[in-house]
Amino acid sequence: HLGKGNGSQRWELSRLRGNPLRCCVRDVNECGPPFGVSCGNFADCQNVDGSYYCTCSPGYGLVSGATTFRNESENTCQDVNECASGHNPCHSSTHCLNVVGGYNCRCRPGWKPVPGSPEGPDSTICAGPELGGCTPGDPYPEHLLTYSMAPTRTQHLSGFFEGVQDLRRHFKPASAQDTVQDLIQSVDKLLKAPGDLETLALPDRHHTVTHLLSGLEEVLRTLAKAVPGGSFTYQSPEGTELSLVIQEQGHGNVTLGQSHARMLLDWAVAAGAAGSGPTVAGILSNPNMQKLLANASLELDPERQAELEETHESPLYGVQWRLLSAVNSVFLSNTNTTKLDPKVTFAFSHPVSPGELICAFWKGADDGGGHWATTGCRTLGSWNGNTTCQCSHLSSFAVLMAHYDVQDPMLAVITYVGLSLSLLCLLLAALTFLLCRAIQNTSTSLHLQLSLCLFLAHLLFLTAMDRTEITVLCAVIAGALHYLYLASFTWMLLEGLHLFLTARNLTVVNYSSVSRFMKKLMFPVGYGVPAVIVAISAASRPRLHGTSTHCWLRSESGFIWGFLGPVCAIFSVNENALGFVALGALGASFLLLHKMLTFKATAQLFILGCTWCLGILQVRPAAHVMAHLFTIINSLQGVFIFLVYCLLSQQVPLSNCRPGLFPSSPLSVTDSETFTLSSRAIPDAS
């Protein structure tokens, strides 16, 4: 015979008896002697017809992520950390311990393997010390144990898990329906009054949601197999709905669900590659999860995000969403539901709402947390409070109303630069009104309070507007911003009222009564009215303080009108009052009064309201231009206040307060003009 080699391909040709022209090709095993190809450390040689390849040994992998290589020089095999790969192979009642070339699943401290649980590193199931009395061979209790561990322990959560453990201790297959109902009622009780769960930081709260949803699906999947009959439906007193279909064999499409949602799927999808035993399909619709899901992020499908950014010609900063439907968890006997064919169709019921409606699912993260996502789901249509969706995977689904925040980098720069300048000017203005005793009166007291409120509001806006990590802290920040900006507008209202009363009483020497009236009125109104409005808002809808992207008021249920309503009312009053002042000043017989009142009325009308009107005009096609004008003018509001009330005010002789620090005002009055104004007892008016 003849041996022939060419690189990694070797054949051995042997002549066959009876026909010298016939020959056969017999493969040579390069991985064995005499060739003995070496693949290097932690690798094995695999022979195939006419060739060979190298693979890393079990528990090892190539750095590149590839699965094969050709020779020892390409070997980069290293230990794979199965416990940190994102696919924890251990049961949830154990913890994973990585070892070189493999991993071990070990019971947690104080826990012991459940009697009768399968042997093996990826099938060990453990029970806590209070559950040591398991009945060997019982197929249900060990699955209930998957709900015995919580990522974060709180008083309410501990009480819930103790109730679940009590259900497990008294569980009997004959009473499976009662156990299912009791479990759902326990979940409803937890969600209706989550208590200290709402005070958790966002990552911990969303970690808890992921654990609750996944644990509930696994427990119901197991318990459903013990439910007698072909189907089972249940509606709890709190409105949670459960629909189950259990069949030994089935084919074609099956529909299940109740008033919150209905699901249409192929029965082959429900069965999957399951072995013997009944096939289970179920959907649990829970309408009471809004509190725990508040401020969760929403991850858009990359194609949809690219489409939005192309439409708006700007990066997408974030998505504000509102949960419209119940949260619907789907569980099947088939646990491999990451890529389904055919897809599953859902019909969700929800309140009629304007805006874009999207179908989203709760996506668990590698660290145990979670967020909303849309990849793999598309909205087929929506009409009259019903939305139809189609998904290629299963999880917990809901319908969200989305509002997109498009990021304009230039607006962010303008905001930070403008507010920084405003903070400096407001601080200088407040120091001027506070330290220059010669000018301290009712008018400067109003200026001082307005400057202080705006300074604190702008400072909090710059430093804490996006601190959404801790829900309670974000709600407090939103409430504080609500109060400070309302207080600023209220002091603006008092400024306009003061100027109006001053102008109205110019013809009569009774300005002292105006001053006394304003001194009694301004502090209770300036700080009390905003406090009452914010207190009512916080008491009526506390969960609407703070969004997923900003610590501000939510727009749902008209809650934002707790701010916009008073602002619109103040603007209307100021516009009428200051318009009266400007028109009345035109008929004044004194040059000084004409100059002073006309200038102040025009400036205050601009500062106290007109700048905010630009926000209302942010509609297409002028939205982009108006957004820039609104941001520029309002971020520089502190600069305008300092300019009008200090540098250009004839009332504030800054050169006398700090010699050489400020220039003389171009509108400074002469000694004779000051005497004339003082003789009419109205020094407070300017």
Coordinates of all heavy atoms in Angstrom, one line a residue, residues 483-547:
Y483 N -41.9 72.7 44.9 CA -42.2 73.8 45.9 C -41.4 75.0 45.5 O -41.9 76.1 45.5 CB -41.8 73.3 47.3 CG -41.9 74.4 48.3 CD1 -43.1 74.8 48.8 CD2 -40.8 75.0 48.8 CE1 -43.2 75.8 49.7 CE2 -40.8 76.0 49.7 CZ -42.1 76.4 50.2 OH -42.2 77.4 51.1
L484 N -40.1 74.8 45.2 CA -39.2 76.0 45.0 C -39.6 76.8 43.7 O -39.6 78.0 43.8 CB -37.7 75.6 44.9 CG -37.1 75.1 46.2 CD1 -35.7 74.5 45.9 CD2 -37.0 76.2 47.2
Y485 N -40.0 76.1 42.7 CA -40.4 76.8 41.5 C -41.8 77.4 41.7 O -42.0 78.6 41.2 CB -40.4 75.9 40.3 CG -39.0 75.7 39.7 CD1 -38.4 74.5 39.6 CD2 -38.3 76.8 39.1 CE1 -37.1 74.3 39.1 CE2 -37.1 76.7 38.6 CZ -36.4 75.5 38.5 OH -35.2 75.3 38.0
L486 N -42.7 76.8 42.4 CA -44.0 77.4 42.7 C -43.8 78.6 43.6 O -44.4 79.7 43.4 CB -44.9 76.4 43.4 CG -45.8 75.5 42.5 CD1 -46.7 74.7 43.3 CD2 -46.5 76.4 41.5
A487 N -42.9 78.5 44.5 CA -42.6 79.7 45.4 C -42.0 80.8 44.6 O -42.3 82.0 44.8 CB -41.6 79.3 46.5
S488 N -41.1 80.5 43.6 CA -40.6 81.6 42.8 C -41.7 82.3 42.0 O -41.7 83.5 41.9 CB -39.5 81.0 41.8 OG -38.5 80.3 42.5
F489 N -42.6 81.5 41.4 CA -43.7 82.1 40.7 C -44.6 82.9 41.6 O -45.1 84.0 41.2 CB -44.5 81.0 40.0 CG -43.9 80.7 38.6 CD1 -43.2 79.5 38.5 CD2 -44.1 81.5 37.5 CE1 -42.6 79.2 37.2 CE2 -43.6 81.1 36.3 CZ -42.9 80.0 36.1
T490 N -44.8 82.4 42.9 CA -45.6 83.2 43.8 C -45.0 84.5 44.2 O -45.7 85.5 44.2 CB -45.9 82.3 45.1 OG1 -46.4 81.1 44.7 CG2 -46.9 83.0 46.0
W491 N -43.7 84.5 44.4 CA -43.0 85.8 44.6 C -43.0 86.7 43.4 O -43.1 87.9 43.5 CB -41.6 85.6 45.1 CG -41.5 85.0 46.5 CD1 -41.2 83.8 46.9 CD2 -41.7 85.8 47.7 NE1 -41.2 83.7 48.3 CE2 -41.6 84.9 48.8 CE3 -42.1 87.1 47.9 CZ2 -41.8 85.3 50.1 CZ3 -42.3 87.5 49.2 CH2 -42.1 86.6 50.3
M492 N -43.0 86.1 42.2 CA -43.2 86.9 41.0 C -44.6 87.6 41.0 O -44.7 88.7 40.6 CB -43.1 86.0 39.8 CG -41.7 85.5 39.5 SD -41.6 84.5 38.0 CE -39.9 84.0 38.0
L493 N -45.6 86.8 41.4 CA -47.0 87.3 41.5 C -47.0 88.5 42.5 O -47.6 89.6 42.3 CB -47.9 86.2 42.0 CG -49.4 86.7 42.3 CD1 -50.0 87.2 41.0 CD2 -50.2 85.5 42.9
L494 N -46.3 88.3 43.7 CA -46.3 89.4 44.7 C -45.6 90.6 44.1 O -45.9 91.8 44.5 CB -45.7 88.9 46.0 CG -46.5 87.9 46.7 CD1 -45.7 87.3 47.9 CD2 -47.8 88.4 47.2
E495 N -44.5 90.4 43.3 CA -43.8 91.5 42.7 C -44.8 92.3 41.8 O -44.8 93.6 41.9 CB -42.7 91.0 41.8 CG -41.5 90.4 42.6 CD -40.4 91.4 42.8 OE1 -40.6 92.6 42.5 OE2 -39.3 91.0 43.2
G496 N -45.5 91.6 41.0 CA -46.5 92.3 40.1 C -47.6 93.0 40.9 O -48.0 94.1 40.5
L497 N -48.1 92.3 41.9 CA -49.1 93.0 42.8 C -48.6 94.2 43.4 O -49.3 95.2 43.5 CB -49.6 92.0 43.8 CG -50.7 92.4 44.8 CD1 -52.0 92.8 44.0 CD2 -51.0 91.4 45.8
H498 N -47.4 94.2 43.9 CA -46.8 95.3 44.6 C -46.6 96.5 43.6 O -47.0 97.7 44.0 CB -45.4 94.9 45.2 CG -44.7 96.0 45.8 ND1 -43.6 96.7 45.3 CD2 -44.9 96.7 47.0 CE1 -43.2 97.6 46.1 NE2 -44.0 97.7 47.1
L499 N -46.2 96.2 42.4 CA -46.0 97.3 41.4 C -47.4 97.9 41.0 O -47.5 99.1 40.8 CB -45.2 96.8 40.2 CG -44.7 97.8 39.2 CD1 -43.8 98.8 39.9 CD2 -44.0 97.1 38.1
F500 N -48.3 97.0 40.9 CA -49.7 97.4 40.5 C -50.3 98.4 41.6 O -50.8 99.4 41.3 CB -50.6 96.2 40.3 CG -52.0 96.5 40.2 CD1 -52.5 97.1 39.0 CD2 -52.9 96.3 41.3 CE1 -53.9 97.4 38.9 CE2 -54.2 96.6 41.1 CZ -54.7 97.2 40.0
L501 N -50.2 98.0 42.9 CA -50.7 98.8 44.0 C -50.0 100.1 44.1 O -50.6 101.2 44.4 CB -50.6 98.0 45.3 CG -51.6 96.8 45.4 CD1 -51.3 96.1 46.7 CD2 -53.0 97.2 45.3
T502 N -48.7 100.1 43.8 CA -47.9 101.3 43.8 C -48.4 102.3 42.8 O -48.6 103.5 43.0 CB -46.4 101.0 43.6 OG1 -46.0 100.1 44.7 CG2 -45.6 102.3 43.7
A503 N -48.5 101.8 41.5 CA -49.0 102.6 40.4 C -50.4 103.2 40.7 O -50.7 104.3 40.3 CB -48.9 101.8 39.1
R504 N -51.3 102.3 41.2 CA -52.6 102.7 41.4 C -52.8 103.8 42.4 O -53.6 104.7 42.4 CB -53.5 101.5 41.8 CG -55.0 101.8 41.7 CD -55.8 100.7 42.4 NE -55.6 100.8 43.9 CZ -56.3 100.1 44.8 NH1 -57.3 99.4 44.4 NH2 -56.1 100.2 46.1
N505 N -51.9 103.9 43.4 CA -51.9 104.8 44.5 C -51.0 106.0 44.3 O -50.8 106.8 45.3 CB -51.6 104.1 45.8 CG -52.7 103.2 46.3 OD1 -53.8 103.6 46.7 ND2 -52.4 101.9 46.1
L506 N -50.5 106.2 43.1 CA -49.6 107.3 42.9 C -50.3 108.7 43.1 O -49.7 109.7 43.5 CB -49.0 107.3 41.5 CG -47.8 106.3 41.3 CD1 -47.4 106.3 39.9 CD2 -46.7 106.7 42.2
T507 N -51.5 108.7 42.8 CA -52.3 110.0 42.8 C -52.7 110.4 44.2 O -53.2 111.5 44.5 CB -53.5 109.9 41.9 OG1 -54.3 108.8 42.3 CG2 -53.1 109.7 40.5
V508 N -52.6 109.4 45.2 CA -53.0 109.7 46.5 C -51.8 109.4 47.4 O -51.1 108.4 47.2 CB -54.2 108.8 47.0 CG1 -54.6 109.2 48.4 CG2 -55.3 109.0 45.9
V509 N -51.6 110.2 48.5 CA -50.5 110.0 49.4 C -50.9 108.9 50.4 O -51.1 109.2 51.5 CB -50.0 111.3 50.1 CG1 -48.8 111.1 50.9 CG2 -49.8 112.4 49.0
N510 N -50.9 107.7 50.0 CA -51.3 106.6 50.9 C -50.4 105.4 50.6 O -50.9 104.3 50.9 CB -52.8 106.3 50.7 CG -53.1 105.7 49.3 OD1 -52.3 105.8 48.4 ND2 -54.3 105.1 49.2
Y511 N -49.2 105.6 50.1 CA -48.4 104.5 49.8 C -48.0 103.7 51.1 O -47.7 102.5 51.0 CB -47.1 104.9 49.1 CG -46.3 103.7 48.6 CD1 -46.7 103.0 47.5 CD2 -45.2 103.4 49.4 CE1 -45.9 101.9 47.1 CE2 -44.4 102.3 49.0 CZ -44.8 101.5 47.9 OH -44.1 100.4 47.5
S512 N -47.9 104.4 52.2 CA -47.5 103.7 53.4 C -48.5 102.5 53.7 O -48.1 101.5 54.2 CB -47.5 104.6 54.6 OG -48.8 105.3 54.8
S513 N -49.8 102.7 53.4 CA -50.8 101.6 53.6 C -50.5 100.4 52.7 O -50.7 99.3 53.1 CB -52.2 102.1 53.4 OG -52.4 102.5 52.0
V514 N -50.0 100.7 51.5 CA -49.6 99.6 50.6 C -48.5 98.9 51.1 O -48.4 97.6 51.1 CB -49.3 100.2 49.2 CG1 -48.7 99.1 48.2 CG2 -50.5 100.9 48.6
S515 N -47.5 99.6 51.7 CA -46.3 98.9 52.2 C -46.7 98.0 53.4 O -46.2 96.9 53.5 CB -45.3 100.0 52.6 OG -44.2 99.4 53.2
R516 N -47.6 98.6 54.3 CA -47.9 97.8 55.5 C -48.7 96.5 55.0 O -48.5 95.4 55.5 CB -48.8 98.6 56.4 CG -48.0 99.6 57.2 CD -48.9 100.2 58.3 NE -50.1 100.8 57.8 CZ -50.2 102.1 57.5 NH1 -49.2 102.9 57.6 NH2 -51.4 102.6 57.1
F517 N -49.6 96.7 54.0 CA -50.4 95.5 53.5 C -49.5 94.5 52.9 O -49.6 93.3 53.2 CB -51.3 96.1 52.4 CG -52.1 95.0 51.7 CD1 -53.1 94.3 52.4 CD2 -51.8 94.6 50.4 CE1 -53.8 93.3 51.7 CE2 -52.5 93.6 49.8 CZ -53.5 92.9 50.4
M518 N -48.4 94.9 52.1 CA -47.5 93.9 51.5 C -46.7 93.2 52.6 O -46.4 92.0 52.4 CB -46.7 94.6 50.5 CG -47.4 95.1 49.2 SD -48.2 93.7 48.4 CE -46.8 92.7 48.0
K519 N -46.2 93.9 53.6 CA -45.4 93.3 54.6 C -46.2 92.2 55.4 O -45.6 91.2 55.7 CB -44.9 94.4 55.6 CG -43.8 95.2 55.0 CD -43.4 96.3 56.0 CE -42.2 97.2 55.4 NZ -41.8 98.2 56.4
K520 N -47.5 92.4 55.6 CA -48.3 91.4 56.3 C -48.6 90.2 55.4 O -48.7 89.1 55.8 CB -49.6 92.1 56.8 CG -49.4 93.1 57.9 CD -50.7 93.7 58.4 CE -50.5 94.7 59.5 NZ -51.8 95.3 59.9
L521 N -48.7 90.5 54.1 CA -49.2 89.5 53.2 C -48.1 88.6 52.6 O -48.4 87.4 52.3 CB -50.0 90.2 52.1 CG -50.6 89.4 51.0 CD1 -51.8 88.6 51.5 CD2 -51.1 90.2 49.8
M522 N -47.0 89.2 52.3 CA -46.1 88.5 51.4 C -45.5 87.2 51.9 O -45.4 86.2 51.2 CB -44.9 89.5 51.0 CG -44.0 90.0 52.1 SD -42.8 91.1 51.5 CE -41.7 91.3 52.9
F523 N -45.1 87.1 53.2 CA -44.5 85.9 53.6 C -45.5 84.7 53.8 O -45.2 83.6 53.3 CB -43.7 86.1 55.0 CG -42.4 86.8 54.8 CD1 -42.3 88.1 55.1 CD2 -41.3 86.1 54.3 CE1 -41.1 88.8 54.9 CE2 -40.1 86.7 54.1 CZ -40.0 88.1 54.4
P524 N -46.7 85.0 54.3 CA -47.7 83.8 54.3 C -48.1 83.4 52.9 O -48.2 82.2 52.7 CB -48.9 84.4 55.1 CG -48.3 85.5 55.9 CD -47.2 86.1 55.1
V525 N -48.2 84.3 52.0 CA -48.6 84.0 50.7 C -47.4 83.4 49.9 O -47.5 82.3 49.2 CB -49.2 85.2 49.9 CG1 -49.4 84.8 48.4 CG2 -50.4 85.6 50.5
G526 N -46.2 84.0 50.0 CA -45.1 83.6 49.2 C -44.6 82.2 49.5 O -44.2 81.5 48.6
Y527 N -44.6 81.8 50.8 CA -44.2 80.5 51.2 C -45.3 79.5 51.6 O -45.1 78.3 51.5 CB -43.2 80.6 52.3 CG -41.9 81.2 51.9 CD1 -41.5 82.5 52.4 CD2 -41.0 80.5 51.0 CE1 -40.3 83.0 52.0 CE2 -39.8 81.1 50.6 CZ -39.4 82.4 51.1 OH -38.2 82.9 50.7
G528 N -46.5 80.1 52.0 CA -47.5 79.2 52.5 C -48.4 78.6 51.3 O -48.7 77.4 51.4
V529 N -48.7 79.4 50.3 CA -49.5 78.9 49.2 C -48.8 77.8 48.5 O -49.4 76.7 48.2 CB -49.9 80.1 48.3 CG1 -50.6 79.5 47.0 CG2 -50.8 81.1 49.0
P530 N -47.5 78.0 48.1 CA -46.9 76.8 47.4 C -46.8 75.6 48.3 O -46.9 74.5 47.8 CB -45.5 77.4 47.1 CG -45.6 78.8 47.1 CD -46.7 79.1 48.1
A531 N -46.6 75.8 49.6 CA -46.6 74.6 50.5 C -47.9 73.9 50.5 O -47.9 72.6 50.5 CB -46.2 75.1 51.9
V532 N -49.0 74.6 50.5 CA -50.3 73.9 50.5 C -50.5 73.2 49.2 O -51.0 72.0 49.2 CB -51.4 75.0 50.7 CG1 -52.8 74.4 50.5 CG2 -51.3 75.6 52.1
I533 N -50.1 73.7 48.1 CA -50.3 73.1 46.8 C -49.5 71.8 46.7 O -50.0 70.7 46.3 CB -50.0 74.0 45.6 CG1 -50.9 75.2 45.6 CG2 -50.0 73.3 44.3 CD1 -50.6 76.3 44.6
V534 N -48.2 71.9 47.1 CA -47.3 70.7 47.1 C -47.8 69.7 48.0 O -47.8 68.5 47.7 CB -45.9 71.2 47.4 CG1 -45.0 69.9 47.5 CG2 -45.4 72.1 46.3
A535 N -48.3 70.1 49.2 CA -48.8 69.1 50.2 C -50.0 68.3 49.7 O -50.1 67.1 49.8 CB -49.1 69.8 51.5
I536 N -50.9 69.0 49.0 CA -52.1 68.4 48.5 C -51.7 67.4 47.3 O -52.1 66.3 47.2 CB -53.1 69.4 47.9 CG1 -53.6 70.2 49.1 CG2 -54.2 68.8 47.1 CD1 -54.5 71.4 48.7
S537 N -50.7 67.8 46.5 CA -50.3 67.0 45.4 C -49.6 65.7 45.9 O -49.8 64.6 45.4 CB -49.3 67.8 44.5 OG -49.9 68.9 43.9
A538 N -48.7 65.9 46.9 CA -48.0 64.8 47.5 C -48.9 63.8 48.2 O -48.8 62.6 48.1 CB -46.9 65.2 48.5
A539 N -50.0 64.3 48.9 CA -50.9 63.4 49.6 C -51.8 62.7 48.6 O -52.2 61.5 48.9 CB -51.7 64.3 50.6
S540 N -52.2 63.3 47.5 CA -53.1 62.7 46.6 C -52.5 61.7 45.7 O -53.0 60.6 45.4 CB -53.8 63.8 45.8 OG -52.9 64.5 45.0
R541 N -51.3 62.0 45.2 CA -50.6 61.1 44.2 C -49.1 61.0 44.6 O -48.3 61.5 43.8 CB -50.8 61.6 42.8 CG -52.2 61.7 42.3 CD -52.8 60.3 42.1 NE -54.2 60.4 41.6 CZ -54.6 60.6 40.4 NH1 -53.7 60.8 39.5 NH2 -55.9 60.6 40.1
P542 N -48.7 60.4 45.7 CA -47.3 60.4 46.0 C -46.4 59.6 45.0 O -45.3 60.0 44.8 CB -47.3 59.7 47.4 CG -48.5 58.9 47.4 CD -49.5 59.7 46.7
R543 N -47.0 58.6 44.3 CA -46.1 57.8 43.4 C -45.9 58.5 42.1 O -45.1 58.0 41.3 CB -46.8 56.5 43.1 CG -48.1 56.6 42.3 CD -48.8 55.3 42.1 NE -50.0 55.4 41.2 CZ -49.9 55.4 39.9 NH1 -48.8 55.3 39.3 NH2 -51.1 55.5 39.2
L544 N -46.5 59.7 41.9 CA -46.3 60.4 40.6 C -45.2 61.4 40.7 O -45.0 62.2 39.8 CB -47.6 61.1 40.2 CG -48.8 60.1 39.8 CD1 -50.0 60.9 39.3 CD2 -48.3 59.1 38.8
H545 N -44.5 61.4 41.8 CA -43.3 62.3 42.0 C -42.1 61.5 41.5 O -41.7 60.5 42.2 CB -43.1 62.8 43.4 CG -44.0 63.9 43.8 ND1 -45.3 63.7 44.2 CD2 -43.8 65.2 43.9 CE1 -45.9 64.8 44.5 NE2 -45.0 65.8 44.3
G546 N -41.5 61.9 40.4 CA -40.3 61.2 39.9 C -40.6 60.4 38.7 O -41.6 59.6 38.7
T547 N -39.8 60.5 37.6 CA -40.0 59.6 36.5 C -38.8 58.7 36.4 O -37.9 58.7 37.2 CB -40.1 60.5 35.2 OG1 -38.8 61.1 34.9 CG2 -41.2 61.6 35.4

